[in-house]
Amino acid sequence: MSTSFHALTVKKINKETADTVTITLEVPPILTGEFQYIAGQYLTFKKTVNGEEIRRSYSICSAPYEKELSVAVKAIENGLFSQFAVNELKVGDTLDTMPPMGNFKITPDANAQKNHIFYAAGSGITPVISMVKTILKEEPKSKVHMFYGNKSAADTIFLEELDALDAANDNFELVHFLSREDTGNPITNGRIDQSTCASIFNTYLHGADVDAVYACGPEQMIMCVKDFYTNKGMDKSKIHFELFKTSVPTENIAVESGEVISSNVTVVIDDEEYQFDLNSNGKNILQAAQDQDADVPFSCKGGVCCTCRAKVMEGTVRMDLNFALEEDEVADGFILTCQAHPTSEKVVISFDEY
Ligand code: FES
């Protein structure tokens, strides 16, 4: 897995809503292998604004079988990258792009007969549409239910494409929820929240067996979905979610109490080693490695994407937050370095282990 950036040319820009565009990138033949992706993964872009390098991750909205590489970007207020992408980027420009990453993904099985349930709100649709298209095309015996919340029809990203998929596939049920427009149905008027989860389950799923749940969007919606299915006794391994950001401010996370450990940390990346001393209550390992000029991968720095993922080869660390790694990855020693602090006197971290 490469964490290097490549300048990809913008092939197409489509306006989806007043504040959202889909950007399709040209992948040169020499990079085709590196930019192969699994439905649900994301790309990280790098751009320098006012002398400062910023990185932002966006989910891929095309499906692998379409042989395209597209992301959707919604302009957010004061968003340095999103405002540029929506208002200034042109066809023919290049974007410094890191190859696809991410654990929120689905690999279709042509013979599976599953019941997949998707919840999305706002721009949380971007990985979800890629996953839904992939299942409908490559896992045709499975059923797909999708519950999609927006303010209004005009704000609904991919509205026409999704409605066309709904009309063309008997095994796809799409239900729109609108919070600022009357849908004519009391269940779908409003947001997807705690009470709606129960209505959805009873009204649209009829208590059916659910094989997997996927949720992407605001934290509040994700937590409602997660709690609902956890309370129903669903195994955690079947509930998948992706947060775009978290409301937990990392600087407010309490430093673990107890003695402060002075650690000697070695970071390995691209077969190069960087060694430094770091206290258990000091900077995170990603930041400390960057201070040594190590070219370590990162994007959100908030424990939400998994761009900064690395493996503990020796010693122990603790993480402030983890909204991105699966339990089995943590058990295998993987960490989010932007959230990690050493807790043993010697720690070796490798970015070269996958
Ligand atoms: S940079 Fe996103 S989780 Fe660390």
PDB file of all heavy atoms in Angstrom, residues 27 51 120 138 142 158 164-165 171 185 258 272 287 301 322:
ATOM      1  N   VAL A  27      -6.630   8.329 -14.143  1.00  0.00           N
ATOM      2  CA  VAL A  27      -5.526   7.545 -13.566  1.00  0.00           C
ATOM      3  C   VAL A  27      -4.664   7.039 -14.724  1.00  0.00           C
ATOM      4  O   VAL A  27      -5.128   6.257 -15.549  1.00  0.00           O
ATOM      5  CB  VAL A  27      -6.068   6.350 -12.744  1.00  0.00           C
ATOM      6  CG1 VAL A  27      -4.914   5.545 -12.162  1.00  0.00           C
ATOM      7  CG2 VAL A  27      -6.992   6.840 -11.634  1.00  0.00           C
ATOM      8  N   GLY A  51       0.552  29.042   2.215  1.00  0.00           N
ATOM      9  CA  GLY A  51       1.822  28.533   2.748  1.00  0.00           C
ATOM     10  C   GLY A  51       1.687  27.342   3.665  1.00  0.00           C
ATOM     11  O   GLY A  51       2.683  26.809   4.144  1.00  0.00           O
ATOM     12  N   ALA A 120     -27.525   6.613   5.492  1.00  0.00           N
ATOM     13  CA  ALA A 120     -26.630   7.710   5.103  1.00  0.00           C
ATOM     14  C   ALA A 120     -27.356   9.022   5.359  1.00  0.00           C
ATOM     15  O   ALA A 120     -28.586   9.090   5.310  1.00  0.00           O
ATOM     16  CB  ALA A 120     -26.257   7.608   3.625  1.00  0.00           C
ATOM     17  N   GLU A 138     -22.762  -6.784  -8.411  1.00  0.00           N
ATOM     18  CA  GLU A 138     -21.875  -7.941  -8.263  1.00  0.00           C
ATOM     19  C   GLU A 138     -22.315  -8.946  -7.196  1.00  0.00           C
ATOM     20  O   GLU A 138     -21.652  -9.954  -7.000  1.00  0.00           O
ATOM     21  CB  GLU A 138     -20.451  -7.450  -7.971  1.00  0.00           C
ATOM     22  CG  GLU A 138     -19.927  -6.605  -9.126  1.00  0.00           C
ATOM     23  CD  GLU A 138     -18.499  -6.157  -8.934  1.00  0.00           C
ATOM     24  OE1 GLU A 138     -17.840  -6.628  -8.008  1.00  0.00           O
ATOM     25  OE2 GLU A 138     -18.046  -5.324  -9.735  1.00  0.00           O
ATOM     26  N   SER A 142     -28.460 -10.692  -3.289  1.00  0.00           N
ATOM     27  CA  SER A 142     -28.656 -10.027  -1.996  1.00  0.00           C
ATOM     28  C   SER A 142     -29.683  -8.907  -2.105  1.00  0.00           C
ATOM     29  O   SER A 142     -29.960  -8.412  -3.198  1.00  0.00           O
ATOM     30  CB  SER A 142     -27.326  -9.437  -1.508  1.00  0.00           C
ATOM     31  OG  SER A 142     -26.480 -10.463  -1.074  1.00  0.00           O
ATOM     32  N   PHE A 158     -26.862  12.884  -5.499  1.00  0.00           N
ATOM     33  CA  PHE A 158     -27.114  11.669  -6.301  1.00  0.00           C
ATOM     34  C   PHE A 158     -28.592  11.271  -6.330  1.00  0.00           C
ATOM     35  O   PHE A 158     -28.911  10.075  -6.484  1.00  0.00           O
ATOM     36  CB  PHE A 158     -26.289  10.473  -5.776  1.00  0.00           C
ATOM     37  CG  PHE A 158     -24.817  10.728  -5.704  1.00  0.00           C
ATOM     38  CD1 PHE A 158     -24.110  10.481  -4.537  1.00  0.00           C
ATOM     39  CD2 PHE A 158     -24.116  11.221  -6.796  1.00  0.00           C
ATOM     40  CE1 PHE A 158     -22.747  10.717  -4.456  1.00  0.00           C
ATOM     41  CE2 PHE A 158     -22.750  11.455  -6.726  1.00  0.00           C
ATOM     42  CZ  PHE A 158     -22.075  11.209  -5.554  1.00  0.00           C
ATOM     43  N   ALA A 164     -32.963   6.155 -10.015  1.00  0.00           N
ATOM     44  CA  ALA A 164     -32.875   5.274 -11.194  1.00  0.00           C
ATOM     45  C   ALA A 164     -32.466   3.859 -10.769  1.00  0.00           C
ATOM     46  O   ALA A 164     -32.993   2.870 -11.273  1.00  0.00           O
ATOM     47  CB  ALA A 164     -31.872   5.843 -12.203  1.00  0.00           C
ATOM     48  N   LEU A 165     -31.562   3.760  -9.817  1.00  0.00           N
ATOM     49  CA  LEU A 165     -31.161   2.432  -9.318  1.00  0.00           C
ATOM     50  C   LEU A 165     -32.343   1.737  -8.645  1.00  0.00           C
ATOM     51  O   LEU A 165     -32.553   0.533  -8.805  1.00  0.00           O
ATOM     52  CB  LEU A 165     -30.031   2.573  -8.282  1.00  0.00           C
ATOM     53  CG  LEU A 165     -28.617   2.815  -8.789  1.00  0.00           C
ATOM     54  CD1 LEU A 165     -27.687   3.108  -7.611  1.00  0.00           C
ATOM     55  CD2 LEU A 165     -28.087   1.606  -9.569  1.00  0.00           C
ATOM     56  N   ASN A 171     -34.403  -5.748  -6.040  1.00  0.00           N
ATOM     57  CA  ASN A 171     -33.808  -6.092  -4.739  1.00  0.00           C
ATOM     58  C   ASN A 171     -33.260  -4.866  -4.003  1.00  0.00           C
ATOM     59  O   ASN A 171     -32.487  -4.997  -3.068  1.00  0.00           O
ATOM     60  CB  ASN A 171     -32.698  -7.144  -4.907  1.00  0.00           C
ATOM     61  CG  ASN A 171     -31.620  -6.687  -5.877  1.00  0.00           C
ATOM     62  OD1 ASN A 171     -31.857  -5.798  -6.691  1.00  0.00           O
ATOM     63  ND2 ASN A 171     -30.451  -7.282  -5.786  1.00  0.00           N
ATOM     64  N   ASN A 185     -45.220  11.617   4.594  1.00  0.00           N
ATOM     65  CA  ASN A 185     -45.214  10.379   5.388  1.00  0.00           C
ATOM     66  C   ASN A 185     -44.610  10.716   6.750  1.00  0.00           C
ATOM     67  O   ASN A 185     -43.465  11.157   6.826  1.00  0.00           O
ATOM     68  CB  ASN A 185     -44.345   9.343   4.638  1.00  0.00           C
ATOM     69  CG  ASN A 185     -44.175   8.060   5.445  1.00  0.00           C
ATOM     70  OD1 ASN A 185     -44.503   7.989   6.628  1.00  0.00           O
ATOM     71  ND2 ASN A 185     -43.642   7.039   4.784  1.00  0.00           N
ATOM     72  N   GLY A 258      -1.388   8.431  36.226  1.00  0.00           N
ATOM     73  CA  GLY A 258      -0.310   7.531  36.584  1.00  0.00           C
ATOM     74  C   GLY A 258       1.028   8.110  36.187  1.00  0.00           C
ATOM     75  O   GLY A 258       1.124   9.258  35.766  1.00  0.00           O
ATOM     76  N   GLU A 272      13.111   3.357   6.219  1.00  0.00           N
ATOM     77  CA  GLU A 272      13.973   4.310   6.942  1.00  0.00           C
ATOM     78  C   GLU A 272      13.539   4.380   8.397  1.00  0.00           C
ATOM     79  O   GLU A 272      12.350   4.289   8.699  1.00  0.00           O
ATOM     80  CB  GLU A 272      13.870   5.703   6.314  1.00  0.00           C
ATOM     81  CG  GLU A 272      14.710   5.826   5.065  1.00  0.00           C
ATOM     82  CD  GLU A 272      14.826   7.274   4.630  1.00  0.00           C
ATOM     83  OE1 GLU A 272      15.055   8.140   5.494  1.00  0.00           O
ATOM     84  OE2 GLU A 272      14.651   7.506   3.435  1.00  0.00           O
ATOM     85  N   GLN A 287       2.842  13.271  15.317  1.00  0.00           N
ATOM     86  CA  GLN A 287       3.406  14.621  15.385  1.00  0.00           C
ATOM     87  C   GLN A 287       4.898  14.566  15.712  1.00  0.00           C
ATOM     88  O   GLN A 287       5.711  15.282  15.113  1.00  0.00           O
ATOM     89  CB  GLN A 287       2.656  15.439  16.456  1.00  0.00           C
ATOM     90  CG  GLN A 287       3.091  16.881  16.555  1.00  0.00           C
ATOM     91  CD  GLN A 287       2.853  17.637  15.260  1.00  0.00           C
ATOM     92  OE1 GLN A 287       1.739  17.698  14.782  1.00  0.00           O
ATOM     93  NE2 GLN A 287       3.920  18.178  14.661  1.00  0.00           N
ATOM     94  N   LYS A 301      -6.216  13.699  11.325  1.00  0.00           N
ATOM     95  CA  LYS A 301      -5.575  13.896  12.636  1.00  0.00           C
ATOM     96  C   LYS A 301      -6.585  13.850  13.777  1.00  0.00           C
ATOM     97  O   LYS A 301      -6.351  14.420  14.841  1.00  0.00           O
ATOM     98  CB  LYS A 301      -4.784  15.213  12.689  1.00  0.00           C
ATOM     99  CG  LYS A 301      -3.527  15.187  11.825  1.00  0.00           C
ATOM    100  CD  LYS A 301      -2.679  16.403  12.084  1.00  0.00           C
ATOM    101  CE  LYS A 301      -1.354  16.327  11.334  1.00  0.00           C
ATOM    102  NZ  LYS A 301      -0.531  17.502  11.509  1.00  0.00           N
ATOM    103  N   ASN A 322     -10.311   6.218  18.732  1.00  0.00           N
ATOM    104  CA  ASN A 322     -10.238   5.328  17.576  1.00  0.00           C
ATOM    105  C   ASN A 322     -11.632   5.158  16.993  1.00  0.00           C
ATOM    106  O   ASN A 322     -12.445   4.413  17.523  1.00  0.00           O
ATOM    107  CB  ASN A 322      -9.674   3.963  17.962  1.00  0.00           C
ATOM    108  CG  ASN A 322      -9.800   2.983  16.816  1.00  0.00           C
ATOM    109  OD1 ASN A 322      -9.864   3.390  15.646  1.00  0.00           O
ATOM    110  ND2 ASN A 322      -9.865   1.704  17.130  1.00  0.00           N
TER     111      ASN A 322
END
